[in-house]
């Protein structure tokens, strides 16, 4: 698998990332082990998790697997903090105390002494930004974190945080951001992607398959064994619109013409967009993961890419980097 620099940093990651949002929910420990091994065998290195996934269970599963299935030093381990909520004075949010407590909890669950990429999961308006970002500095200077990133920040929030961190040489620069990005959701193009390009951050695109809708499996109904029929039904329903149906039809048409699964078309489109370092694969099963990984061999012909750009163009003007 091809590897790319993550932002303007020396960290190289696989151009497809493995997400763990379903681990401990739709994916049990055995299924997670199969996914991790399959991803590693394909040359993948970037594993993304979060302390909020199943109240820390996803991190716990991953930590167990990294002690038995895949060498820790062959994985770029990414996790997040700031969105977890639990009782007590340090129970959540982006305060210095909450973040550093969350980091220690993540390290314990992941059974490691450091996080390769530690990300702020969300903007916290209740905490001064300087306090939040200072926690990143403490985490890196103490050796518990190697690189820092953010997730789900608006364009102005991203720019403010990135500028603050680069204003002084002792601060930890931000190297990445996570944001939803797919043919069904191109809102990142308005402000987030121009901001990441200007400030030298790599974009990790979550939900690159439009929360599963771009695979075409929800076109006529909701499969009983799908995510859309389970606890994450509302997550999928977000993209089941008339506009989405038109885009899905275009993806299916392109896939038929190329003789490849629709998921390959949707992933290749995101993977090669300006500013994107890697789509984050949120597959529930090993079979789904294998299908997604096979997309690494596909480069969309210019005519098909242009047609998909046109059919998925946002209603509001966007700014290209």
């Amino acid at each position: 698998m091809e590897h790319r620099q993550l932002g303007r940093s020396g960290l190289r990651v696989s151009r497809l990332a493995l997400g763990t949002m379903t681990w401990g929910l739709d994916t049990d420990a055995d299924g997670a082990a199969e996914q991790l091994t399959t991803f590693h065998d394909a040359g993948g290195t970037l594993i993304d998790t979060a302390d909020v996934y199943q109240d820390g269970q996803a991190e716990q599963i991953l930590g167990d697997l990294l002690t038995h299935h895949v060498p820790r030093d062959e994985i770029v381990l990414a996790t997040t903090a700031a969105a977890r909520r639990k009782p007590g004075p340090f129970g959540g949010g982006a305060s210095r105390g909450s973040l550093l407590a969350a980091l220690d909890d993540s390290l314990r669950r992941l059974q490691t002494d450091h996080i390769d990429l530690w990300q702020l999961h969300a903007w916290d308006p209740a905490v001064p930004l300087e306090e939040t970002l200072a926690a990143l500095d403490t985490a890196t200077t103490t050796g518990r974190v190697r690189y820092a990133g953010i997730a789900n920040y608006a364009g102005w929030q991203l720019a403010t945080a990135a500028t603050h961190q680069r204003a002084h040489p002792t601060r930890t620069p931000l190297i990445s951001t996570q944001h939803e990005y797919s043919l069904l959701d191109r809102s990142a193009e308005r402000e987030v992607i121009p901001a990441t390009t200007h400030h030298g951050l790599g974009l990790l695109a979550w939900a690159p398959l439009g929360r599963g809708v771009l695979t075409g499996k929800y076109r006529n109904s909701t499969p009983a064994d799908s995510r859309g029929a389970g606890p994450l039904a509302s997550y999928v329903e977000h993209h089941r619109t008339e506009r989405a149906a038109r885009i899905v039809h275009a993806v299916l048409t392109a896939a038929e013409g190329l003789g490849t699964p629709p998921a390959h078309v949707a992933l290749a489109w995101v993977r090669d967009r300006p500013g994107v370092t890697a789509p984050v694969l949120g597959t529930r099963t090993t079979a789904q993961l294998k299908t997604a990984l096979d997309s690494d061999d596909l480069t969309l012909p210019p005519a098909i890419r242009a047609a998909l750009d046109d059919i998925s163009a946002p209603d509001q003007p966007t700014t290209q980097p």
Side-chain angles (χ1 to χ4, degrees):
M1 189 184 302
E2 179 183 324
H3 287 65
R4 296 170 170 174
Q5 300 293 131
L6 186 55
R8 287 201 292 260
S9 77
L11 182 62
R12 290 180 59 80
V13 299
S14 52
R15 68 173 182 173
L16 293 174
L18 177 61
T20 64
M21 187 177 73
T22 66
W23 290 17
L25 182 64
D26 296 323
T27 306
D28 62 18
D30 290 338
E34 288 185 359
Q35 287 195 31
L36 181 60
T37 301
T38 298
F39 184 70
H40 177 257
D41 290 347
T45 59
L46 180 55
I47 312 292
D48 182 68
T49 188
D51 64 349
V52 293
Y53 292 166
Q54 285 60 260
D55 198 29
Q57 189 176 355
E59 285 187 331
Q60 186 67 57
I61 292 172
L62 180 55
D64 290 341
L65 295 179
L66 289 177
T67 62
H68 302 293
H69 286 72
V70 174
R72 170 67 180 89
D73 60 0
E74 295 180 10
I75 292 298
V76 177
L77 180 57
T79 192
T80 65
R84 184 178 171 89
R85 298 287 176 178
K86 59 181 182 180
F90 303 114
S95 70
R96 179 187 178 91
S98 295
L99 286 173
L100 295 177
L103 174 59
D104 289 338
D105 288 343
S106 289
L107 290 169
R108 184 176 63 254
R109 287 189 292 267
L110 291 164
Q111 301 177 50
T112 186
D113 62 357
H114 72 279
I115 304 298
D116 297 307
L117 176 64
W118 193 42
Q119 304 155 105
L120 301 174
H121 207 144
W123 177 275
D124 189 342
V127 178
L129 180 61
E130 295 81 3
E131 178 181 340
T132 296
L133 296 174
L136 298 180
D137 301 334
T138 299
T140 53
T141 56
T142 57
R144 289 176 284 177
V145 166
R146 298 291 189 262
Y147 294 92
I150 55 177
N152 308 309
Y153 275 35
W156 71 268
Q157 296 167 343
L158 183 158
T160 302
T163 299
H164 179 274
Q165 289 305 96
R166 290 196 179 274
H168 196 281
T170 63
R171 294 174 186 158
T172 302
L174 301 176
I175 69 165
S176 67
T177 186
Q178 282 203 41
H179 203 278
E180 182 169 8
Y181 191 37
S182 73
L183 281 161
L184 298 186
D185 189 338
R186 295 175 59 182
S187 59
E189 295 174 8
R190 297 190 183 104
E191 295 184 359
V192 172
I193 291 178
T196 62
T197 301
H198 180 76
H199 290 283
L201 278 64
L203 177 66
L204 303 176
W206 61 266
L209 293 177
R211 312 188 184 194
V213 174
L214 286 166
T215 64
K217 64 184 175 184
Y218 298 108
R219 192 179 188 194
N220 299 313
S221 62
T222 301
D225 62 346
S226 70
R227 183 180 298 172
L232 296 176
S234 60
Y235 175 80
V236 175
E237 284 295 325
H238 178 78
H239 284 318
R240 298 183 71 176
T241 64
E242 291 184 8
R243 174 180 176 273
R246 294 192 297 271
I247 297 170
V248 170
H249 178 74
V251 170
L252 293 175
T253 301
E256 182 178 359
L258 293 170
T260 194
H264 288 190
V265 174
L267 284 171
W269 183 89
V270 175
R271 185 198 66 211
D272 295 333
R273 292 294 290 173
V276 173
T277 299
V280 180
L281 308 175
T283 52
R284 293 182 301 111
T285 67
T286 303
Q288 291 176 343
L289 176 60
K290 288 179 177 177
T291 297
L293 290 173
D294 286 342
S295 70
D296 194 53
D297 296 326
L298 176 65
T299 299
L300 294 178
I304 289 180
R305 177 170 289 279
L308 293 174
D309 289 350
D310 183 62
I311 192 68
S312 65
D315 295 332
Q316 298 180 23
T318 62
T319 301
Q320 289 293 332

